[in-house]
Amino acid sequence: MPSDIKQDGSWTCYKLQGPFAFGETGIVLSVIQPLSENGIGIFVVSTFDGDHLLIKTTDKPKVRELLQAAGHTLV
C-alpha cells in the first residue's frame, strides 16, 4: 500500500432494515440521536436501497445498549 494513503480500521456497520417509504422521515435521526447525545461518533451512508450506520468497534457495547434503550431491535 502506498505510504500516502490513510487508513482507519476497526469499524462496525449496522444496516437499517426497511423497506422504508420515501416519505417516512426521522428514521435515521431516531438511530443517531441517542448515540450523538452520548458522545458516540458516527458515520452514516445513505443509498437508494438503505441506510448504513458505521461506528468504531470499541463503541459497540455502548451503542447496542443505547439503541436498545431507544426501542430499536438489533439482530
Side-chain angles (χ1 to χ4, degrees), residues 53-73:
L53 173 74
L54 290 102
I55 53 113
K56 293 300 285 182
T57 300
T58 54
D59 292 329
K60 189 175 177 178
K62 185 66 175 173
V63 166
R64 291 187 65 83
E65 175 187 319
L66 291 167
L67 291 178
Q68 288 173 330
H72 297 287
T73 302

Side-chain angles (χ1 to χ4, degrees), residues 9-27:
S10 301
W11 289 85
T12 295
C13 179
Y14 290 99
K15 180 180 181 186
L16 281 63
Q17 190 66 40
F20 302 115
F22 184 74
E24 284 186 75
T25 60
I27 295 167

Side-chain angles (χ1 to χ4, degrees), residues 10-59:
S10 301
W11 289 85
T12 295
C13 179
Y14 290 99
K15 180 180 181 186
L16 281 63
Q17 190 66 40
F20 302 115
F22 184 74
E24 284 186 75
T25 60
I27 295 167
V28 172
L29 179 62
S30 74
V31 174
I32 65 172
Q33 189 169 20
L35 304 181
S36 64
E37 287 176 348
N38 286 279
I40 303 290
I42 55 170
F43 184 72
V44 177
V45 178
S46 295
T47 68
F48 178 75
D49 352 3
D51 300 298
H52 299 80
L53 173 74
L54 290 102
I55 53 113
K56 293 300 285 182
T57 300
T58 54
D59 292 329

